[in-house]
Amino acid sequence: MSNRVKSVITGSGAALPERVITNNDLEKMVDTNDEWILSRTGIRERRKLEDGLSSVDLADRAAVEALEKAGLKAADIDMIIAATVTPDYPTPSTSCLLQARLGAFKAAAMDLSAGCTGFIYALAVGSQFISCGTYKNILVVGVEILSRVTDWDDRSTCVLFGDGAGAVVLQPATGDSGIVSFSLHSDGRGADLLKIPAGGSMIPASHESLQNKMHFIKMNGNEIFKFATRVVEDTLNQMMQKENITAADLDYLFLHQANLRIIDYIRKRLRMPEEKVPVNIDRYGNMSSATIPIALHEYIVKGAMKKGDLVAMVAFGAGLTWGGILMKW
Ligand code: UT7
C-alpha cells in the first residue's frame, strides 16, 4: 500500500443518548446483579435511546461534529458509509437518510453490515476510494441502536448492549501519516453464533416470529468469547508482521468493546500497559460498530494521539467477521 495515497482521519465526532441504564436498574428488570455484570463483562452502565429517535438521529449528531472538526461542509462530502446492524429501515439505508439530513447531496451513500467489525470494514472500504483517487472526503459512521433489538427479559444479553454513534472524516494524507494496512476476514460457518433470526427474507415478521421473540439478538456468548480471543491476536500479528513491528511499537490499540475480560486478556498477551489500550465498555456497554469510533473520538478530543503515533484497531463480531486497521497518526 506504500506507493498509493494514504487516508488520514481529519475529524471525529460521537453521539450518545442521555438516558443511562445502570446495572442496578437491570437488577429490577431481570434476575441479575451488579457484581455478576461487572466481574463478567466490565460494564457499569450503558445508554438507551429515547423512544421516537433512531439511528439517523445519533449518526447525524456524530457526523456534524466530525465534519466541523475536519473543517468541511456537508456539500463537500463525496461518500458516506454507515456501518450498522440496526439501520432505521431494512431499506432505504441509514446512510441515505443521513445524506438527506446533512444536505450532503453530492455524496454517494451506502450502509455496510459487518457486525461489530463494521467500522473497521467501512474504514478499509473508504480508504480504497481515496487510494485510487476517486474520492477526497469520506464520512464513515458507526451507529447502533442495539436497545431496539435486545430482549429485555433475557439476562444473558440485555446486560451487554448499548446505543451510540461515532463518526470520522477520511481524507488523502499529505505526509507519511495515514492507514498503513488493514486486514479483513469473515467465516460464515459461524453465522448462527450471533444473529437476529427474524425480520429478513428467511423469517419475515409474523405473529409467530414476534411471539417467539425472534427479532432480538441471540448469542452463544461462550463461543464468541473463544473466537474473539483467538482472532484478535492473529489479526494484529498479521498486520504487525507485514510492517515488521511488534506490539511494543504500538502507541494505542483500540479494541472492540465487547467484554473487559477479552480486552484485558489481549492486552496482557501483548504486554501492553493499560493506558495504551482504551476502555469505554464500563460506561457504554457493547455498542457493536460504534464502540471503536467513540473510543477513538474520546482519545482524539483529549489530544492523546501525537503525529507519528502508531495506532491499531481490531474488532470482531457477527458474521462471523473480524479485522484490523493499522495507521500512523
Ligand atoms: O460484540 C461481539 C460479540 N459479543 C461478544 O464478544 C460477547 C462474548 N462473550 C461474553 O462476553 C461472555 O460470554 C458473556 C458476558 C456473554 C457471558 O459470560 P460468561 O462468563 O461466558 O457466562 P456464561 O454464559 O458461561 O454463564 C455463566 C452463568 C450461567 O449460570 P450457570 O449455568 O453457571 O448456573 C448463566 O445462566 O451465569 C449466568 N448468567 C447470569 N447471571 C447473572 C448469564 N447471564 C447472567 C446475568 N446475571 N446477566
Side-chain angles (χ1 to χ4, degrees), residues 9 18 46 73 124 150 196 199 221 242 262 278 283 322:
I9 291 175
E18 278 175 25
R46 67 289 289 143
K73 295 189 184 66
T150 295
I196 300 173
K242 207 166 132 202
I262 298 175
R283 289 170 286 144
W322 64 101

Side-chain angles (χ1 to χ4, degrees), residues 7 22 54 128 278:
S7 301
T22 65
S54 63
Q128 294 306 286

Side-chain angles (χ1 to χ4, degrees), residues 223-277:
E223 287 304 315
I224 295 280
F225 194 105
K226 282 188 261 174
F227 148 75
T229 48
R230 182 169 45 84
V231 298
V232 169
E233 215 180 336
D234 285 354
T235 305
L236 260 177
N237 285 336
Q238 276 169 23
M239 292 192 302
M240 293 192 304
Q241 273 164 18
K242 207 166 132 202
E243 301 307 320
N244 207 15
I245 58 168
T246 69
D249 298 311
L250 295 178
D251 293 289
Y252 291 97
L253 170 59
F254 289 86
L255 292 174
H256 172 48
Q257 309 279 306
N259 190 314
L260 186 59
R261 286 187 291 144
I262 298 175
I263 297 169
D264 282 344
Y265 172 85
I266 302 292
R267 184 176 58 72
K268 284 174 189 160
R269 292 270 308 168
L270 298 169
R271 297 195 172 84
M272 289 183 73
E274 281 185 22
E275 60 272 18
K276 289 188 171 186
V277 186

Side-chain angles (χ1 to χ4, degrees), residues 44-247:
R44 293 177 188 277
E45 56 187 45
R46 67 289 289 143
R47 301 296 178 93
K48 186 169 187 279
L49 191 63
E50 304 84 306
D51 290 347
L53 297 181
S54 63
S55 291
V56 71
D57 295 295
L58 283 190
D60 183 22
R61 274 172 46 200
V64 166
E65 187 180 2
L67 289 174
E68 197 184 303
K69 296 269 168 56
L72 289 184
K73 295 189 184 66
D76 300 326
I77 309 172
D78 298 309
M79 174 175 249
I80 300 173
I81 309 175
T84 185
V85 296
T86 50
D88 292 55
Y89 308 109
T91 195
S93 64
T94 289
S95 53
C96 277
L97 303 183
L98 180 60
Q99 187 233 31
R101 192 70 80 80
L102 293 169
F105 299 118
K106 185 175 85 174
M110 63 174 170
D111 282 7
L112 193 154
S113 171
C116 303
T117 323
F119 182 72
I120 301 293
Y121 266 71
L123 275 187
V125 170
S127 74
Q128 294 306 286
F129 281 98
I130 287 177
S131 270
C132 62
T134 312
Y135 295 135
K136 286 198 161 40
N137 305 319
I138 300 187
L139 177 67
V140 177
V141 183
V143 55
E144 302 292 2
I145 314 299
L146 294 171
S147 63
R148 302 276 161 81
V149 290
T150 295
D151 178 357
W152 291 95
D153 295 326
D154 174 9
R155 71 174 183 171
S156 73
T157 53
C158 77
V159 302
L160 304 174
F161 301 111
D163 301 336
V168 298
V169 171
L170 278 185
Q171 292 187 292
T174 43
D176 71 341
S177 299
I179 294 179
V180 176
S181 77
F182 61 78
S183 169
L184 304 179
H185 307 271
S186 56
D187 184 353
R189 289 169 297 183
D192 286 336
L193 295 176
L194 176 46
K195 72 198 294 191
I196 300 173
S201 59
M202 181 80 83
I203 307 176
S206 65
H207 289 297
E208 194 191 357
S209 69
L210 286 173
Q211 254 162 16
N212 294 332
K213 298 189 161 195
M214 294 168 82
H215 298 266
F216 295 130
I217 297 173
K218 313 284 178 203
M219 180 171 73
N220 181 333
N222 290 303
E223 287 304 315
I224 295 280
F225 194 105
K226 282 188 261 174
F227 148 75
T229 48
R230 182 169 45 84
V231 298
V232 169
E233 215 180 336
D234 285 354
T235 305
L236 260 177
N237 285 336
Q238 276 169 23
M239 292 192 302
M240 293 192 304
Q241 273 164 18
K242 207 166 132 202
E243 301 307 320
N244 207 15
I245 58 168
T246 69

